[in-house]
Amino acid sequence: MMDLKYGASREKPREDAAMKRFRGHRVGQFIHWGLYALPAGRWEGKDVEFAAEFLPRVAKIPQHRWEALANDFTLADFDAERWADTAVALGARYMTITTKHHDGFCLWPSAHTDFHMGNTPSGRDVLGELVAAYEARGIDVNFYYSVLDWRHPDWRFTLENDADNLAFARYLDFAMKQLVELAERYPSVKGFWFDGTWDESVKANGWWTWEVERMLKERIPGVVVNSRLRADDFGARHVDSNGLLMGDYESGYERRLPEPWDRSVAAHDWEACMTIPQASWGYHQGPWAQSTLKHPWDVVDMIAHCTSLGGNFLLNFGPRGDGSMAPAEVEIARTVGQWLGVNGEAIYGCGFAEGWEYPGWGYFTQDSSTGQVFAVVTREPASGRIRLELPTGMELVGLQLLGSAGHPFNEHPFKRLAGSVFEVDLGGATSAGPLVFALET
Ligand SMILES: C[C@@H]1N[C@@H](C#Cc2ccccc2)[C@H](O)[C@@H]1O
């Protein structure tokens, strides 16, 4: 093992109450909202077929024209209560909001820049309103913060000379001041989700990423920090040069999930984040994005997939420029939330079912407190039958379909094929969306 000054601070997952709470949430609502929601992927009448929040870079928009959007950011239809109601409808237990994305615009009135909500027509503290509305509903709030800042004059992608090093040192000082400001203004925040840390400039300053995590945990005991913030002494990211996870959970899964049979993932905490359109985090009005919205049952499959490997699933919403939630995304939230309302006990507080192999037709999850194992059937075989292969020596004595026909449980028939292999005929099992069985063993 190398002697690292800025490597992982622990070898095993955190087991304190705050981390257990985050782990048990399993389902979160990601929100990307900022000036990019105004053009919504369209510039000078043309759709730019790339993530809406990258528009200023992809369309090469002059800085002054991008900054002028702040004058149009009127929040005409922004209502934090309605956003929070969407999270309740989704069945989300936490929410992660973009406090500052790569363009540098801040959703709070920051004292360290002029590019913030205070210099918009409404002057409203969007973050303050969101924290109040979500916490009033018992939903934890996390802050996304982009270390990458296209606007700041001292930002550097690479460090070529002393001048770059001096400038970037000023930038890191600015970013640290903003993070202290966020921690002081919103002390009830439960986590920080860092992004924009892939450039050489940040990787060469692992000490700063270590200091940020230390500062936040000193100011907000229990706060949860993602691995994407961290670089070690040698620029290794997420996992340090000794192979140990930095931060509190692995956050490398962006618009992708681990292979469902990759049991190694379950060794540590992790979270996957996912867009509803194919590839835009900010609201994109064009058919390039709007024609690719995910089906609610695809979202349910991803939620169960993550839970089965001990991970959280963070589903992204991109509110429109006026502050309203996109109706199609709200509808998806409602359908997923209705499924969770019936089958959530197989998700919330659940995780990896040790000893149960990946079955192919869906996922096994296990309640971390009671040990109850569930089968979530998201890919019903053409045969209409699933095979349950139990850990060797285990007997299946009962099978209950969750929430069917309005009953909390509904005994379902099964038969032994051989040894610890059982077959379940899914015929007659009814439920809106993927079926979930509680296994009695
Ligand atoms: C969570 C997601 N990470 C951000 C990104 C990115 C990106 C996109 C292309 C190449 C390199 C990085 C997206 O804008 C969104 O915030």
Side-chain angles (χ1 to χ4, degrees), residues 30 32 36 50-54 98 100-102 144 146 148 150 193-196 198 228 251 253-255 273-275 279-282 314 316:
F30 212 168
H32 276 69
Y36 43 79
F50 196 83
E53 70 282 0
F54 267 71
T98 50
K100 181 190 83 159
H101 203 262
H102 308 335
Y144 165 111
S146 173
L148 165 60
W150 295 325
W193 203 104
F194 289 92
D195 198 11
W198 48 79
R228 200 177 286 212
S251 64
Y253 295 107
E254 179 174 319
R255 293 197 302 121
C273 58
M274 189 61 65
T275 52
S280 186
W281 299 85
L314 189 63
N316 184 70

Side-chain angles (χ1 to χ4, degrees), residues 43-79:
W43 195 255
E44 295 178 337
K46 291 197 186 99
D47 279 4
V48 178
E49 296 189 348
F50 196 83
E53 70 282 0
F54 267 71
L55 186 67
R57 300 292 283 184
V58 177
K60 298 182 174 50
I61 299 170
Q63 182 64 43
H64 72 280
R65 291 191 63 192
W66 189 258
E67 291 176 356
L69 289 171
N71 302 321
D72 303 329
F73 206 51
T74 62
L75 276 62
D77 202 11
F78 170 69
D79 181 341

Side-chain angles (χ1 to χ4, degrees), residues 272-349:
C273 58
M274 189 61 65
T275 52
I276 290 180
Q278 180 57 31
S280 186
W281 299 85
Y283 179 65
H284 193 301
Q285 61 187 306
W288 170 78
Q290 293 308 315
S291 65
T292 67
L293 305 187
K294 289 177 179 63
H295 189 283
W297 302 151
D298 293 337
V299 173
V300 164
D301 177 84
M302 292 178 195
I303 290 172
H305 182 154
C306 290
T307 303
S308 75
L309 289 175
N312 285 13
F313 182 73
L314 189 63
L315 181 66
N316 184 70
F317 291 73
R320 298 183 292 194
D322 62 4
S324 61
M325 280 278 178
E329 294 189 351
V330 173
E331 195 46 41
I332 290 167
R334 285 205 184 100
T335 305
V336 171
Q338 284 161 0
W339 184 89
L340 283 167
V342 172
N343 302 289
E345 65 182 288
I347 303 296
Y348 303 122

Side-chain angles (χ1 to χ4, degrees), residues 216-245:
L216 290 173
K217 291 184 172 177
E218 195 172 83
R219 287 175 180 272
I220 309 177
V223 76
V224 175
V225 177
N226 69 333
S227 64
R228 200 177 286 212
L229 163 66
R230 304 281 275 96
D232 76 356
D233 312 50
F234 301 99
R237 295 184 61 228
H238 295 276
V239 173
D240 72 13
S241 302
N242 288 321
L244 296 175
L245 180 68

